Amino acid sequence: MSPAGGATRVRFAPSPTGWLHVGGARTAYFNWLFARRHGGAVVLRIEDTDVERSSAASEQGVLDDLAWLGLDFDEGPREGGPHGPYRQSERLGLYRAKAEALLARDAAYPCFCDDADLERRRQIAHAAGRPPHYDGRCRDLPRDEREARVRAGEAHSLRFAVPRREWTLQDLVRGEVTFPEGVVGDFVLLRSNGLPTYNFACAVDDAAMEISHVIRAEEHLPNTPRQLMLCEALGGRPPAYAHVPLILNRDRTKMSKREGEAAVAVGDWRRAGVVAEALLSYLALLGFHPGDEREILTRAELLECFALERVGRSGSIFDPDKLRWVNAHLLHHADGARLAAWAEEFLPAGARALPRADLERLLEGVRGNLAMLADLAGELEPFLVERPAFEPAAVAVLDPAPARALCGELAAALESLAEWSEEGVKSTIRSTGAQLGLKGRDLFQPVRVALTGRVHGPELPLVASLLGRARCVSRLRAAAAGRP
Ligand code: GLU
């Protein structure tokens, strides 16, 4: 239920001015979890009134990343809905009408100051140690002068006449936050080109779309008094707010794209082969504390315990190694069908061509060596080609004569093995080793290298079974002959 007793309705409101940031993905996920847990609706609103910086390509990219994350929306530009359109650039008439209503009530006024003059006055205020707020010059212009100048077509913006009092917010994460009187100056609602500012469009839309809870990054906290004032001036009841702490670089600054820091774009992690489940779990637990020691939570598990009261107040440092660990854990424990679905974009052509059952078996065979899906091509290679390329560390393993002799003996033994099975291969390797006085590393490593060109990989009987008898025998023979 919302604070007003109505339905729970949240929104994710990206500005399509770039790619989806991991922080944005976490905000979207928190909104989604909150709404789904409370039987509410999630609205996707595109905040594209900054025409110079917004682009259709960016919107497309953000929507694709959200779809990849598996976050679905009940209303939005693709879904439609009763409160549309869901792109702010298509709602300009509404902002104008609301601005006119505020103007008619003297809650807003036209401002004729131009940018250069405003900047100069800001500098003077700054130098004098005063806050850099608008100095209110046009607030008290006589009504007839104002109207005459507007009628004469003089360029002007529309400013909000900020009520002179303090504002208190009961934030669902941060607790009580007070904004003293004077913390904001009269701010612009509509620019001289008729486009709304972020705060105005946001407050109008949160009210029009009947948003009950605004869950967003803490960096928006300074905007909240503006939106509270506007909400009141527009005659609405403000939503509840939850400002979630930032995701940080190692030096505790806001996580941003920087040399030596982890990737910030969801798309970069996706292309590197992180699965959406891993990214979401990792991001959720960067701010949310489940109250126990669990380090990975599925969506279903989070839906059972997610609560804004359990979101911490301080920012968390993004640790790419921890994300890789979460990803590896999920990959190591997934079955073949799931791996095949995740791996779709990462499979080399040879793997795609395999019958589904063989592919799934192969993926289960190599999953223990994967940290990222991008590792797949390398891990699968020995199973897809006639002769695998040897990795540098493997080259010297077959140099000693006993290693080559072992390969020759084993080729013969496997060729005549009565029943080709993992069990059979396992005991054949052992008995051949015993016969030649080889065990442990001296036994297994040459066989592994001969079969796969690698020093690490799945268990040998599994490797043999995945390769099939003919390829095993021919690779062992080649190794025995010193031509791997
Ligand atoms: N468009 C804003 C952003 O991308 C959203 C702010 C909000 O959630 O109110 O940061």
Side-chain angles (χ1 to χ4, degrees):
M1 294 282 269
S2 81
T8 296
R9 290 177 55 82
V10 301
R11 86 299 195 274
F12 179 58
S15 303
T17 54
W19 25 259
L20 184 65
H21 187 285
V22 290
R26 189 186 59 171
T27 298
Y29 195 30
F30 281 176
N31 274 285
W32 187 92
L33 286 167
F34 184 80
R36 295 284 173 260
R37 189 166 154 72
H38 292 93
V42 200
V43 176
L44 177 65
R45 182 169 81 219
I46 303 295
E47 301 204 325
D48 59 350
T49 57
D50 183 344
V51 279
E52 257 132 55
R53 294 177 60 228
S54 300
S55 74
S58 161
E59 178 185 316
Q60 183 68 39
V62 169
L63 296 189
D64 285 352
D65 281 345
L66 290 168
W68 174 74
L69 288 167
L71 301 180
D72 58 323
F73 296 90
D74 302 291
E75 297 169 31
R78 284 182 186 171
E79 297 74 10
H83 301 278
Y86 291 90
R87 269 186 208 97
Q88 290 188 326
S89 60
E90 296 166 15
R91 299 169 65 81
L92 301 181
L94 175 66
Y95 309 132
R96 172 139 300 275
K98 295 290 177 189
E100 300 283 345
L102 293 176
L103 191 61
R105 272 188 278 128
D106 283 334
Y109 59 89
C111 170
F112 305 95
C113 303
D114 68 35
D115 287 349
D117 199 23
L118 286 169
E119 184 50 34
R120 198 178 46 78
R121 277 146 56 195
R122 235 190 319 267
Q123 306 273 353
I124 294 171
H126 182 76
R130 292 195 307 270
H133 299 329
Y134 178 63
D135 55 14
R137 182 172 295 185
C138 294
R139 182 167 175 154
D140 301 317
L141 288 181
R143 180 179 297 273
D144 29 328
E145 178 185 337
R146 251 187 221 177
E147 289 175 358
R149 288 173 76 174
V150 170
R151 260 197 316 275
E154 190 173 335
H156 64 277
S157 61
L158 202 69
R159 267 185 205 274
F160 186 56
V162 165
R164 298 195 167 119
R165 66 170 175 87
E166 70 168 32
W167 296 80
T168 301
L169 168 71
Q170 299 298 337
D171 190 274
L172 295 173
V173 171
R174 309 195 58 80
E176 183 169 299
V177 185
T178 301
F179 303 97
E181 181 183 333
V183 73
V184 292
D186 290 358
F187 56 91
V188 173
L189 303 178
L190 290 184
R191 298 191 180 86
S192 55
N193 62 8
L195 290 174
T197 54
Y198 155 69
N199 277 297
F200 185 49
C202 181
V204 168
D205 285 345
D206 284 343
M209 295 178 178
E210 297 173 14
I211 298 304
S212 66
H213 293 77
V214 169
I215 303 167
R216 63 183 174 194
E218 189 185 86
E219 63 193 324
H220 287 293
L221 194 57
N223 291 317
T224 307
R226 294 176 175 84
Q227 294 173 18
L228 287 171
M229 293 169 191
L230 283 169
C231 194
E232 189 183 85
L234 291 163
R237 212 165 153 163
Y241 289 89
H243 287 93
V244 302
L246 296 177
I247 299 179
L248 307 171
N249 289 319
R250 273 169 300 188
D251 63 2
R252 303 200 70 82
T253 53
K254 182 188 167 189
M255 191 185 177
S256 58
K257 195 173 179 178
R258 282 208 320 224
E259 191 61 32
E261 293 284 359
V264 186
V266 167
D268 286 343
W269 286 106
R270 175 182 173 179
R271 283 183 288 276
V274 154
V275 298
E277 285 78 351
L279 186 59
L280 286 178
S281 170
Y282 177 68
L283 290 175
L285 296 184
L286 263 187
F288 170 73
H289 305 289
D292 52 42
E293 296 306 305
R294 284 178 295 174
E295 293 187 280
I296 300 178
L297 264 76
T298 63
R299 196 177 296 236
E301 287 165 337
L302 273 162
L303 277 172
E304 267 170 32
C305 62
F306 184 75
L308 290 168
E309 302 77 58
R310 288 232 176 124
V311 173
R313 289 190 192 184
S314 53
S316 316
I317 293 174
F318 189 94
D319 176 358
D321 292 333
K322 181 71 188 278
L323 171 56
R324 284 192 196 97
W325 176 84
V326 173
N327 200 55
H329 183 91
L330 294 189
L331 294 179
H332 297 176
H333 293 84
D335 65 19
R338 173 156 271 242
L339 287 166
W342 280 341
E344 193 80 34
E345 294 169 28
F346 292 86
L347 290 178
R352 279 176 217 277
L354 293 173
R356 191 74 178 185
D358 292 359
L359 171 65
E360 291 180 9
R361 206 161 148 260
L362 186 54
L363 291 172
E364 281 183 20
V366 300
R367 68 185 170 193
N369 279 19
L370 304 174
M372 306 288 253
L373 289 169
D375 301 335
L376 265 173
E379 293 302 322
L380 290 179
E381 196 240 17
F383 302 96
L384 300 174
V385 295
E386 208 32 56
R387 282 283 149 74
F390 272 42
E391 64 180 7
V395 177
V397 173
L398 294 173
D399 280 348
R404 292 206 301 278
L406 163 66
C407 292
E409 287 297 323
L410 188 59
L414 289 180
E415 193 166 36
S416 57
L417 181 63
E419 196 194 324
W420 183 256
S421 67
E422 286 187 37
E423 243 345 281
V425 169
K426 193 168 168 181
S427 56
T428 309
I429 294 174
R430 259 213 217 103
S431 56
T432 310
Q435 198 186 313
L436 299 174
L438 297 169
K439 59 179 183 329
R441 200 181 151 87
D442 293 338
L443 171 60
F444 299 118
Q445 199 157 61
V447 177
R448 176 177 301 288
V449 165
L451 292 180
T452 66
R454 315 284 161 96
V455 287
H456 297 290
E459 294 294 312
L460 286 176
L462 177 62
V463 169
S465 131
L466 291 169
L467 284 172
R469 189 194 307 248
R471 276 193 292 181
C472 286
V473 171
S474 99
R475 288 182 190 186
L476 286 163
R477 288 240 158 84
R483 42 177 174 77

